[in-house]
């Protein structure tokens, strides 16, 4: 660990507890060695007499930054194996369609997507739902559009036939890849995140998603929240441009607390023909480890 003097960093330790481990308190020491010496720190680990059930109607997914470079193949396979052991069956791997200019025209490149799915197959993720980035924000910037990101709404995309053509060709390539090379997976396309953060962000998402909808085979995924009742109107606006919804879990509980029910949400999903996920962030300083265990 490259830790400079005066620098603070959280370092997480993971312990693989054997399935047959006897409940009780286990003790040991952690030795921290550095250029100036070493320090031993006592570690106590309590193994509880419980086993988390694999419920057939519960499927766990995770976000994993596997497509950002810097990770070797062996490490990615080890991490994917660890995810599988902990019940992860679906994944948002941070991999997107790429683009390059050829003869003055943008061309889609699915190389990173293809490589990642090969690794997922090797790691036993057959049948997984995989969220793939469309890369349309990068495509738009490649074509000179700058009103994208958290502060823009993408209005400059309206009427840009070059963008629409390139986006359609990319999504046709993604649909063809799904049919011919990725039949063991369910692919969903996505761009942006938490699109109820502002009206501009939602408008930008819809503009990019209209480009995807030129190819109906490609299904869309997005995250959003239900912080306020105003989110109900925003979900109606979003509905034509999402097939797999991922609702921020804590704010969904607040939505239920305001008098809504699971039956209400099921009716909304049926009307839109959508599937639904929920996400609770796994680590942070905002809640206790006990609450994360309850959620999981």
């Amino acid at each position: 660990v490259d830790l400079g003097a005066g620098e603070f960093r959280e370092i997480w330790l993971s312990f693989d507890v054997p399935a047959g481990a006897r409940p009780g308190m286990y003790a040991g020491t952690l030795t921290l060695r550095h250029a100036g010496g070493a320090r031993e720190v006592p570690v106590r680990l309590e193994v509880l007499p419980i086993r988390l059930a694999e419920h057939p109607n519960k499927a766990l997914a995770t976000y994993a930054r596997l497509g950002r470079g810097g990770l070797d193949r062996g490490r990615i396979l080890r991490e994917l194996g660890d995810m599988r052991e902990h019940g992860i069956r679906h994944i948002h791997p941070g991999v997107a369609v790429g683009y390059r200019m050829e003869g003055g025209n943008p061309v889609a490149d699915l190389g990173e997507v293809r490589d990642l799915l090969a690794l997922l197959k090797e790691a036993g993720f057959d049948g997984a739902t995989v969220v793939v980035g469309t890369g349309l924000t990068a495509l738009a910037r490649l074509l000179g559009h700058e009103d994208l990101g958290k502060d823009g709404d993408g209005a400059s995309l309206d009427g840009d036939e070059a963008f629409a053509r390139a986006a359609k060709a990319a999504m046709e390539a993604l649909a063809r890849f799904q049919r011919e090379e990725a039949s063991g997976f369910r692919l969903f396309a996505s761009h942006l995140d938490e699109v109820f953060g502002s009206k501009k962000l939602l408008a930008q998402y819809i503009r990019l998603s209209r480009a995807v909808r030129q190819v109906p085979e490609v299904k869309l995924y997005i995250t959003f929240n239900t912080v306020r009742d105003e989110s109900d109107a925003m979900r109606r606006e979003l509905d034509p441009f999402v097939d797999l919804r991922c609702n921020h879990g804590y704010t969904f509980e607040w939505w239920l607390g305001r008098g809504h029910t699971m039956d209400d949400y099921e009716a909304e999903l049926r009307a839109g023909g959508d599937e639904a996920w929920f996400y609770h962030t796994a680590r942070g300083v905002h809640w206790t480890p006990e609450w994360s265990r309850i959620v999981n």
Side-chain angles (χ1 to χ4, degrees):
V1 177
D2 185 12
L3 190 66
E7 180 182 349
F8 174 83
R9 187 188 305 177
E10 286 183 301
I11 298 174
W12 290 87
L13 302 179
S14 295
F15 295 89
D16 290 327
V17 180
R22 294 176 61 184
M25 191 68 73
Y26 294 77
T29 57
L30 173 69
T31 302
L32 305 175
R33 294 185 176 87
H34 53 91
R39 175 71 63 86
E40 287 194 347
V41 179
V43 175
R44 289 169 64 82
L45 177 68
E46 184 180 8
V47 175
L48 300 175
I50 62 175
R51 182 177 297 277
L52 298 179
E54 285 285 347
H55 194 284
N57 293 333
K58 182 185 76 172
L60 292 178
T62 191
Y63 276 59
R65 294 178 181 175
L66 302 179
R68 306 296 172 87
L71 293 181
D72 61 57
R73 185 175 180 279
R75 179 174 172 179
I76 290 177
L77 285 172
R78 286 196 303 275
E79 292 191 358
L80 289 172
D82 190 48
M83 293 175 202
R84 289 285 300 180
E85 288 181 6
H86 285 82
I88 302 298
R89 295 295 178 265
H90 309 290
I91 193 165
H92 190 312
V95 169
V97 177
Y99 297 88
R100 64 181 185 274
M101 297 299 288
E102 288 186 2
N105 296 308
V107 176
D109 180 358
L110 270 66
E112 193 175 28
V113 175
R114 183 174 286 108
D115 292 346
L116 191 278
L117 260 67
L119 286 172
L120 289 176
K121 188 174 183 64
E122 185 173 343
F125 276 83
D126 297 69
T129 296
V130 182
V131 180
V132 174
T134 64
L136 291 185
T137 301
L139 171 63
R141 291 201 172 103
L142 198 61
L143 293 173
H145 297 276
E146 297 297 334
D147 58 336
L148 297 150
K150 292 187 177 181
D151 298 322
D153 62 4
S156 65
L157 296 175
D158 295 344
D160 186 334
E161 294 183 4
F163 172 79
R165 283 195 305 271
K168 183 178 181 182
M171 294 306 102
E172 286 174 341
L174 185 60
R176 189 163 54 250
F177 174 75
Q178 167 78 87
R179 290 192 308 270
E180 299 176 0
E181 301 182 51
S183 58
F185 299 91
R186 286 202 321 155
L187 300 187
F188 283 81
S190 189
H191 32 251
L192 306 181
D193 191 51
E194 273 297 337
V195 292
F196 290 178
S198 72
K199 291 184 177 179
K200 285 185 176 180
L201 194 62
L202 178 58
Q204 183 184 154
Y205 174 82
I206 289 173
R207 284 187 166 97
L208 294 173
S209 299
R210 282 199 179 102
V212 174
R213 285 293 195 231
Q214 296 178 100
V215 183
E217 288 177 75
V218 177
K219 303 304 181 183
L220 283 160
Y221 163 97
I222 194 56
T223 54
F224 59 87
N225 65 69
T226 48
V227 173
R228 296 175 295 275
D229 283 331
E230 289 84 346
S231 301
D232 294 345
M234 297 176 86
R235 287 201 311 283
R236 287 192 292 272
E237 191 175 353
L238 177 75
D239 185 62
F241 305 99
V242 63
D243 301 287
L244 176 54
R245 310 167 172 212
C246 193
N247 198 137
H248 182 261
Y250 299 108
T251 65
F252 183 77
E253 292 159 11
W254 300 344
W255 183 78
L256 293 174
R258 293 198 295 270
H260 301 285
T261 67
M262 291 298 291
D263 288 341
D264 294 339
Y265 199 54
E266 184 177 8
E268 184 177 318
L269 292 170
R270 288 182 182 277
D274 299 338
E275 298 179 49
W277 284 2
F278 302 94
Y279 79 91
H280 292 77
T281 306
R283 285 177 176 169
V285 296
H286 320 298
W287 54 87
T288 65
E290 289 79 7
W291 177 239
S292 289
R293 179 173 286 279
I294 289 168
V295 167
N296 284 302

